[in-house]
Each structure stands twice: as C-alpha cells, then as structure tokens.
Amino acid sequence: MKIIDWFKKKQKQKDKPKVVWLEEADSTNDEICRLADEQTQRMVVVVTDYQRKGRGQATNQWESEAGKNLLFSVMVHPLMVPLRCQFLLSMAGALALKEVLDRYTNDITLKWPNDVYWKDRKISGTLIETTISAGHIKDCIFGIGLNVNQQTFTSDAPNPVSLAQILGHEVERKPVLDAFLECFDKYYSWIENGQYGDVSACYHEALYRRKGFYPYREVASNEVFEAAIIEVEDDGTMVVRDREGVIREYKFKEIECIYRQS
C-alpha cells in the first residue's frame, strides 16, 4: 500500500503543469512555442502581465491593460484525439473557464466557437493553434484572454466586460488561474479517457442562446435570418434550424450573431 501511495504521489508531481509567469511578452502562444522543444510535461503554461501583440481570432487583437487581466497559454499533446474530433479540445477549455467563473457569478455561457459570455457580453476569448503530425494532433495551444480587473475598454470590441465590473470589486488573478488549471485538467482527463460524450453534453448544456430562435447573419450571402441551435459537432460545425425548418451548417466565421437592441 505504501508503494502504491508513493507511486501515485510521484505520478501527480510528474503531471503537475509547469507554469512560467512573465512580466511581459509579445504573445504567450509564441512564448510557449519557444519552450516546446525543451518541455516534456503533460501540460505547460505561460502567463504574462502584459502582451504586446495579443492575438484573437483571424486578424483581431486582444485588448488588455497591463497587470489587470489573465493572459496565458496552455500547451498539451492530445495525440489520442482524432482530427475529426478536435473541437472537443475547444469544448474542454471553454468548460473549464465557465466552471471557474461560475464560482464568482451567474449567467456565464459559452458562445460558439471559443468565447465565454456573461449575459450578452464577452468576458473571455480563446485562440487555439494546433500542430499536426502523421494524422494526429501533436500539440494544441490554448491562448486565453480572461478579463479580470480591467474597468475601461477602449478598443472597438462591441461588448467586453470584466469580472471586476460584474462584481463591483477587483479579484486576485492567481487563484483564478489556479482554479482554471484544476478544472481544465479534469475536462482534459475526460478526453484522455475517451469520455467525448460527457464533454460534448456539458458544452451543449452551457451554450449561449442554447434555447429558442435568435437572429444570425450568414457571412457569405449577408442574409439575416432567425434560427435555433441544434448542435455543435465534434469537428466544430454549428448546426442550426431556421424558422422554415431548414437545417443549416456553418464552419467558423461563416455565421455571426446579431444582438437585439435593448
């Protein structure tokens, strides 16, 4: 029994993520790539107080006041995940963020594909970059921006919000990061164990605009229509049903939410 306990303790120490906290960086995704060749841990994390060239989806920039928010990247090596199921990794990261934020406030949902919302406002975004080798996902990097203590946003982002704005007071950042890593480890372990259905079910339950019809715009045609979400497939395809009962499928950046004026 003592030998087994010793082994479990050693295994836990081995699996504990390596966390590097930097005062500033161009991009935590770039920094974590520089560490990739010399790291063998199951999970590596790079955090920075200020990001000079923070990236969002496509050409978007992520606005963050120095020392106010959480800007970090997590690298894992999900060789067990088939390429057709790679969006499950995005689901796991989003679920971890939601679980942490649920400890502080209500009304947290997951907006497809990689955003976390409080009501109709964006509190977190994730840029996911993968490296493919021999038909498998060799590396997966989650570049996460989480608005924690910023009070004023000056970019043209339409709907940002921070945890401090929601709560009315600032929040220590490190406990939030520690809680995220704990939660992410849980959901990533589900993927490692093949519990794809559990991850997908939790993600769908947490989806923004999960029930009912809402306005959307099809990017290619500029058509505006109302639809209800049916599902998000494991490859990331969003499937919706419009008012006429027609099933529509969209990849990233092919459909946009339209926000009703309050």
Side-chain angles (χ1 to χ4, degrees):
M1 189 66 177
K2 289 183 179 179
I3 294 176
I4 293 174
D5 290 342
W6 176 86
F7 177 79
K8 287 182 177 179
K9 181 178 179 181
K10 287 295 183 182
Q11 186 65 36
K12 187 174 182 180
Q13 290 173 344
K14 178 183 176 183
D15 289 344
K16 187 176 180 180
K18 177 181 178 63
V19 180
V20 178
W21 198 305
L22 305 172
E23 184 175 341
E24 62 178 62
D26 283 343
S27 160
T28 55
N29 273 24
D30 292 343
E31 291 293 336
I32 210 167
C33 286
R34 294 189 184 101
L35 291 173
D37 291 339
E38 58 189 75
Q39 300 300 330
T40 58
Q41 281 92 348
R42 171 173 170 267
M43 190 184 305
V44 179
V45 184
V46 172
V47 195
T48 189
D49 288 327
Y50 178 67
Q51 202 165 221
R52 291 183 292 266
K53 299 178 182 178
R55 304 196 303 275
Q57 293 290 340
T59 58
N60 297 338
Q61 297 291 311
W62 184 262
E63 177 192 2
S64 182
E65 186 179 346
K68 290 294 184 179
N69 302 319
L70 274 174
L71 306 169
F72 62 101
S73 293
V74 179
M75 176 184 280
V76 291
H77 312 286
L79 288 168
M80 80 299 292
V81 179
L83 289 179
R84 68 182 183 279
C85 297
Q86 61 182 310
F87 192 73
L88 286 163
L89 295 163
S90 179
M91 292 180 183
L95 285 168
L97 285 164
K98 174 177 166 54
E99 183 168 333
V100 173
L101 292 170
D102 282 344
R103 301 175 186 181
Y104 292 89
T105 185
N106 299 319
D107 300 312
I108 297 294
T109 56
L110 307 179
K111 179 177 173 288
W112 176 87
N114 295 322
D115 292 338
V116 181
Y117 267 44
W118 174 74
K119 298 185 178 180
D120 288 325
R121 302 178 69 183
K122 181 175 176 177
I123 191 170
S124 179
T126 301
L127 174 65
I128 296 179
E129 299 178 320
T130 56
T131 301
I132 309 301
S133 177
H136 295 274
I137 305 172
K138 179 177 177 287
D139 303 314
C140 181
I141 301 173
F142 300 78
I144 297 171
L146 174 58
N147 296 330
V148 181
N149 291 322
Q150 188 160 335
Q151 294 287 354
T152 303
F153 295 89
T154 59
S155 75
D156 57 359
N159 57 349
V161 69
S162 70
L163 199 53
Q165 288 177 322
I166 296 168
L167 300 177
H169 60 81
E170 291 200 350
V171 176
E172 281 191 65
R173 292 178 298 152
K174 189 176 183 303
V176 177
L177 176 65
D178 291 342
F180 169 82
L181 294 178
E182 178 185 350
C183 293
F184 179 74
D185 183 79
K186 177 181 73 173
Y187 291 111
Y188 185 64
S189 293
W190 287 10
I191 292 176
E192 289 179 314
N193 294 331
Q195 297 172 248
Y196 294 176
D198 293 336
V199 173
S200 181
C202 290
Y203 178 82
H204 281 84
E205 182 66 23
L207 269 174
Y208 175 69
R209 294 183 169 182
R210 163 174 83 84
K211 295 180 179 178
F213 285 83
Y214 292 90
Y216 294 91
R217 183 178 74 88
E218 185 175 281
V219 174
S221 66
N222 209 33
E223 176 193 3
V224 174
F225 62 96
E226 288 196 341
I229 296 173
I230 296 177
E231 67 171 335
V232 177
E233 297 178 346
D234 290 350
D235 68 352
T237 301
M238 167 77 87
V239 183
V240 301
R241 181 181 70 255
D242 66 22
R243 288 283 191 184
E244 287 68 47
V246 177
I247 305 300
R248 303 176 180 223
E249 298 185 357
Y250 295 97
K251 303 293 187 184
F252 302 160
K253 297 297 182 180
E254 292 181 349
I255 186 175
E256 294 178 345
C257 289
I258 294 177
Y259 301 99
R260 294 180 173 129
Q261 296 297 319
S262 58

